[in-house]
Amino acid sequence: MTAEGRLLTVVAVFFVLFYGNRFCHAANSQICLMCNGTVVNGSAVWDFCTSSAGQIDGRCCLQTDNTSGAVHITGLDVSYCNLIVVEDLSEASTALMIDLSFNPISNLSDLVFEGFSQLFYVILPSNLTCPGGNASWEKTEVKGEVRVCEGQINACNQTGHISWDCPQNSLCSPYGPGFFACSCVESFHGYKCLREGEFPIVEVFGILGGSTILVSLVLWVTQRRKAKAM
Ligand SMILES: *[C@@H]1O[C@H](CO)[C@@H](O)[C@H](O)[C@H]1NC(C)=O
Ligand SMILES: *[C@@H]1O[C@H](CO)[C@@H](O)[C@H](O)[C@H]1NC(C)=O
Ligand SMILES: *[C@@H]1O[C@H](CO)[C@@H](O)[C@H](O)[C@H]1NC(C)=O
Ligand SMILES: *[C@@H]1O[C@H](CO)[C@@H](O)[C@H](O)[C@H]1NC(C)=O
Ligand SMILES: *[C@@H]1O[C@H](CO)[C@@H](O)[C@H](O)[C@H]1NC(C)=O
Ligand SMILES: *[C@@H]1O[C@H](CO)[C@@H](O)[C@H](O)[C@H]1NC(C)=O
Ligand SMILES: *[C@@H]1O[C@H](CO)[C@@H](O)[C@H](O)[C@H]1NC(C)=O
């Protein structure tokens, strides 16, 4: 790839990471049609949607941003969809509420919710655990056949974590249950944000393994190639 090509790739990744959610989430998202029917009157997502002046579209609750006009998915109800595998919900990464209950889901990876930083209410079949583990939620409880995970805990705000979770010259921000993202502060970039000038932004993603303070995944998204060259 040419230098221009590499720069374009970096710019493209930047836009996908930071603006993708705003531009891509139009009405008629595939995920809203991923199974039959619509959000049912009286369900948790229905109640949330009507009380937040949202609009039901298939299995989604949509909200239009007053200023930008962009449409976001704020709720997703895929209960009773006969789902066995749940792999990609990324279209709904702006969701505040997700209902996956009454599905024979065999296995749900924490990675499905990476980037879901606004998620505050998840309903699951009771034999699944809350994404990121109990430590990622203010309250978790089993109510009959469902498990409710409520109030996402900010992974950047756990006592003792802040000092080392993100490298110097970077800021930590929540990035979904059990995840955090580090972005280099202005003018720093590159491996561990050690270089100054040139590229403005680098993101580092991490996952916290429940209550054990374990960083098991660190990806240097935009600057991997540069880092290797260092
Ligand atoms: C969905 O709707 C189609 C057509 O109406 C039907 O054939 C199919 O059985 C339905 N699937 C479920 C899971 O209800
Ligand atoms: C939803 O259900 C309530 C009571 O069950 C009913 O009063 C209301 O009209 C329903 N709303 C819609 C849009 O169907
Ligand atoms: C956006 O629209 C809603 C409903 O139309 C209104 O209640 C709210 O005040 C508006 N917000 C802004 C920032 O204009
Ligand atoms: C949960 O139970 C359903 C049956 O109700 C089963 O199909 C599914 O594999 C189970 N999932 C796990 C993670 O045990
Ligand atoms: C669940 O999925 C993960 C990754 O997709 C896999 O590593 C793991 O073995 C699976 N667990 C079960 C019980 O299927
Ligand atoms: C997580 O919380 C649920 C509900 O409060 C509880 O049943 C479960 O044992 C907890 N799991 C762990 C690993 O603490
Ligand atoms: C951080 O955690 C403390 C106590 O756990 C809480 O009072 C505070 O509001 C939290 N701050 C943020 C930004 O979440």
Side-chain angles (χ1 to χ4, degrees), residues 163-207:
S163 53
W164 56 269
D165 278 348
C166 285
Q168 239 188 342
N169 307 322
S170 70
L171 297 174
C172 185
S173 55
Y175 200 64
F179 291 94
F180 59 88
C182 308
S183 26
C184 297
V185 296
E186 51 176 325
S187 87
F188 287 91
H189 67 92
Y191 183 67
K192 293 198 177 181
C193 307
L194 290 175
R195 304 183 67 182
E196 205 169 355
E198 208 180 351
F199 289 101
I201 291 277
V202 162
E203 288 260 319
V204 183
F205 299 98
I207 178 169

Side-chain angles (χ1 to χ4, degrees), residues 16-32 57 60-65 68-76 88-96 98 114-118:
V16 169
L17 281 173
F18 289 86
Y19 298 103
N21 293 343
R22 278 173 232 180
F23 295 139
C24 300
H25 284 154
N28 296 322
S29 289
Q30 285 303 311
I31 200 166
C32 304
D57 176 28
C60 293
C61 174
L62 304 176
Q63 204 124 39
T64 307
D65 189 302
S68 70
V71 178
H72 301 284
I73 295 175
T74 54
L76 176 68
D88 184 9
L89 298 177
S90 56
E91 270 190 277
S93 65
T94 50
L96 285 76
I98 294 183
E114 183 178 3
F116 288 55
S117 54
Q118 298 173 77

